């Protein structure tokens, strides 16, 4: 299993709809999620295959992420299509052949 690290300063995280350097993905200490756990997530596996990397049931995972957010009455600032493409972008940008993706959505600090 390959995991991104910031050893070379090149790892990327998909943050609020765009790729950012690993070290720039920050959450304010007063974010609602830090105090009350108001967030949802999915755990998604991607596997090395003969034709390249295959993400296991990506559409179903993203659908469940949005359903969880809806149940929590948490607005999502991105679309399911954007999250799907964001997962793929992270794999490509980090040169991963297999990995564990963990999309998170949470209530932050302020508006």
């Amino acid at each position: 299993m390959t995991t991104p690290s910031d050893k070379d300063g090149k790892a990327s995280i998909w943050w609020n709809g765009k790729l950012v350097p690993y070290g720039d993905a920050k959450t304010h200490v007063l974010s609602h999620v830090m105090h009350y756990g108001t967030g949802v997530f999915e755990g998604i596996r991607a596997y090395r295959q003969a034709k390249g990397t295959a993400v296991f049931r990506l559409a179903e995972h993203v659908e469940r992420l949005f359903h969880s957010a809806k149940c929590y009455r948490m607005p999502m600032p991105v679309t399911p299509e954007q999250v799907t493409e964001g997962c793929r972008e992270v794999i490509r940008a980090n040169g991963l052949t297999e990995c564990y993706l963990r999309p998170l959505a949470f209530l932050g600090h302020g508006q």
Side-chain angles (χ1 to χ4, degrees):
M1 176 83 71
T2 308
T3 57
S5 70
D6 199 32
K7 288 184 279 186
D8 59 7
K10 295 180 182 176
S12 296
I13 301 288
W14 196 76
W15 183 260
N16 289 336
K18 62 184 178 198
L19 286 174
V20 299
Y22 188 91
D24 291 349
K26 304 206 184 324
T27 301
H28 195 282
V29 70
L30 294 179
S31 292
H32 205 268
V33 68
M34 301 290 237
H35 298 272
Y36 303 104
T38 47
V40 296
F41 68 91
E42 279 294 313
I44 306 170
R45 296 292 304 260
Y47 299 96
R48 180 181 313 162
Q49 300 292 305
K51 294 182 179 182
T53 302
V55 183
F56 183 73
R57 296 193 172 176
L58 180 57
E60 290 89 342
H61 281 290
V62 171
E63 180 181 340
R64 187 168 45 227
L65 177 73
F66 276 76
H67 179 72
S68 296
K70 183 178 178 181
C71 289
Y72 222 173
R73 296 182 184 181
M74 184 170 42
M76 295 291 279
V78 293
T79 66
E81 295 78 19
Q82 288 173 303
V83 172
T84 298
E85 185 53 30
C87 289
R88 293 179 178 137
E89 283 182 47
V90 166
I91 292 169
R92 286 190 298 267
N94 291 292
L96 302 172
T97 57
E98 54 185 14
C99 62
Y100 176 76
L101 300 165
R102 187 145 175 124
L104 305 165
F106 55 88
L107 294 178
H109 176 64
Q111 295 295 321

